[in-house]
Amino acid sequence: MNTDERPDGTSGGAFREVTDGKGRVYRVGESDRDLLGHSRRLMVYLPWISMMAISVSEYAYGSAEDTLSEAHGWTQSNTFWILSVWVFFQAGVAFPAGWLRERGLLTARRAMFAGAALCLVGFVALSHPRGAGPHSAGPAKNPPAVKQYTPKEAVRTGVLPLMWLTVVLTAGVSIFGISFQVDFAEEVGFGPLVAASSMGIMSVINGVGRAVVGWLSDLWGRKRTLLFVIVVLGLAQFGVIWAGHARNEWLFLFFAFLSGFGGGAFYPMFAALTPDYFGENHNATNYGLVYSGKLVSGLFGGGLGSMVVDAWGYDGAYALAGGISMVAACIALMLRQPGHPEHGRRRPSSPVAGRAVVGGRS
């Protein structure tokens, strides 16, 4: 039995290391307080607080679009190309941050402090009448799960490219919905209260939905829940068109609810699927690659989305977004967990691997 020495010189709980048939190494015997010095709940509450703080800069932008246009004389395309730039860099930092983290060049603590500092610089720059500044995302998410495959093996399976493409399409629909919900509400004649409320509902449910689908995926499995979320997101786009033409404000708010739910809930599904499929050994890099699909979506959902609205109107743009979401659902159907037979049947697992697999249903 080994003991873990903490930075303060005290020893943590006794543990032993176990290696399974796939080379995955597990530390067994420690509690959360042995590892962290406090309950693991604190590591849920702290990210909640940081996410609540940073989300304002993303989800409030759609509501501020009219104000920015009037203040600076910008067109709709101008304002949403700026949003596209924000999303491009916010998603683009995920892969390099994960790569640096796994090579010990950038710890999670330093990455978070660097991201916070850059956000502060960005807000200060934006407060200048003629200034502008970039935002920064935190490091790639690294949820605890199994250790199974190396990055090269993950790419060879063909599943990572499929997941990346699904993120591109689904995130594009999500960004489009968040960006243009207020504008469409005003276009069909709804008052500013309904327009702002629809954005508020989308933002709140966008976050709450992520917790709900985590629970739901434990009951249904990851892939089935992901398909459900993407289909709901697609149908919500057609529902927004229907509610707009019907001039029904309550129906419009309901589909804004569904759009917000689908537009946020697919992110934790990909965060869980990546280590479920490829293990935790290189999960920061693997998930950074998957999340970087949002980089392409930023261009589609914001800047190119505004061009589609100019060319086809909101009806055509929302119909296109709904159709793209259905294509993403079809691609997600092809996802198969490496090392397991198709049709959801699994090979028998060893006792050690069985204890170590967390949420491995696909």
Side-chain angles (χ1 to χ4, degrees):
M1 301 289 284
N2 301 316
T3 58
D4 184 25
E5 185 171 317
R6 296 173 180 165
D8 59 5
T10 62
S11 296
F15 68 90
R16 61 190 179 96
E17 292 187 348
V18 179
T19 304
D20 68 6
K22 290 186 177 294
R24 299 174 295 190
V25 181
Y26 308 95
R27 285 172 58 148
V28 182
E30 296 166 297
S31 70
D32 52 350
R33 294 190 180 277
D34 290 331
L35 290 168
L36 304 171
H38 47 70
S39 171
R40 71 188 67 191
R41 291 182 179 179
L42 182 63
M43 302 311 296
V44 175
Y45 299 148
L46 292 178
W48 273 355
I49 295 172
S50 63
M51 285 299 295
M52 284 189 290
I54 193 59
S55 294
V56 174
S57 62
E58 180 175 4
Y59 296 111
Y61 188 85
S63 300
E65 187 264 337
D66 283 345
T67 303
L68 291 171
S69 297
E70 293 176 4
H72 301 286
W74 295 342
T75 65
Q76 185 183 70
S77 294
N78 293 148
T79 56
F80 286 109
W81 273 115
I82 293 174
L83 177 63
S84 296
V85 171
W86 185 93
V87 175
F88 184 90
F89 285 98
Q90 189 260 354
V93 75
F95 179 79
W99 186 87
L100 291 171
R101 178 180 175 182
E102 288 178 346
R103 282 154 182 78
L105 302 175
L106 181 67
T107 65
R109 181 190 296 269
R110 289 177 180 175
M112 293 305 298
F113 276 118
L118 288 174
C119 285
L120 175 61
V121 171
F123 280 116
V124 171
L126 287 170
S127 67
H128 259 259
R130 300 180 182 276
H135 286 79
S136 172
K141 301 178 183 68
N142 189 18
V146 300
K147 296 182 178 181
Q148 188 167 355
Y149 295 97
T150 67
K152 291 183 179 179
E153 289 170 329
V155 173
R156 286 195 192 108
T157 64
V159 180
L160 261 180
L162 285 176
M163 293 178 70
W164 190 86
L165 182 57
T166 310
V167 170
V168 170
L169 299 177
T170 312
V173 176
S174 173
I175 294 168
F176 176 85
I178 292 172
S179 302
F180 295 98
Q181 193 80 47
V182 173
D183 292 331
F184 183 63
E186 295 174 348
E187 176 78 14
V188 297
F190 295 147
L193 179 60
V194 173
S197 296
S198 67
M199 178 59 70
I201 288 175
M202 285 185 65
S203 300
V204 171
I205 302 303
N206 189 283
V208 174
R210 304 183 188 205
V212 172
V213 297
W215 168 80
L216 194 60
S217 69
D218 289 337
L219 300 177
W220 290 1
R222 308 292 189 219
K223 192 173 86 170
R224 188 178 302 176
T225 305
L226 175 63
L227 289 169
F228 168 72
V229 166
I230 295 176
V231 169
V232 167
L233 176 62
L235 293 177
Q237 310 311 306
F238 295 105
V240 167
I241 298 174
W242 175 37
H245 285 290
R247 298 296 193 274
N248 189 316
E249 295 180 352
W250 288 108
L251 197 60
F252 186 85
L253 292 175
F254 170 73
F255 285 112
F257 172 97
L258 290 183
S259 186
F261 171 81
F266 71 92
Y267 285 113
M269 286 296 92
F270 282 111
L273 278 168
T274 303
D276 278 358
Y277 280 22
F278 309 115
E280 193 188 359
N281 285 1
H282 300 276
N283 187 47
T285 300
N286 285 345
Y287 184 65
L289 178 61
V290 172
Y291 189 78
S292 68
K294 187 180 176 183
L295 181 150
V296 179
S297 318
L299 298 178
F300 168 78
L304 295 181
S306 67
M307 296 172 64
V308 173
V309 171
D310 291 339
W312 297 349
Y314 285 104
D315 285 4
Y318 273 101
L320 177 62
I324 290 174
S325 187
M326 296 307 171
V327 172
C330 292
I331 295 174
L333 279 172
M334 296 185 284
L335 296 176
R336 294 288 184 272
Q337 186 171 9
H340 289 286
E342 296 185 6
H343 309 301
R345 291 173 9 187
R346 294 171 172 249
R347 296 176 298 192
S349 301
S350 67
V352 171
R355 285 199 305 270
V357 172
V358 179
R361 282 175 289 183
S362 62

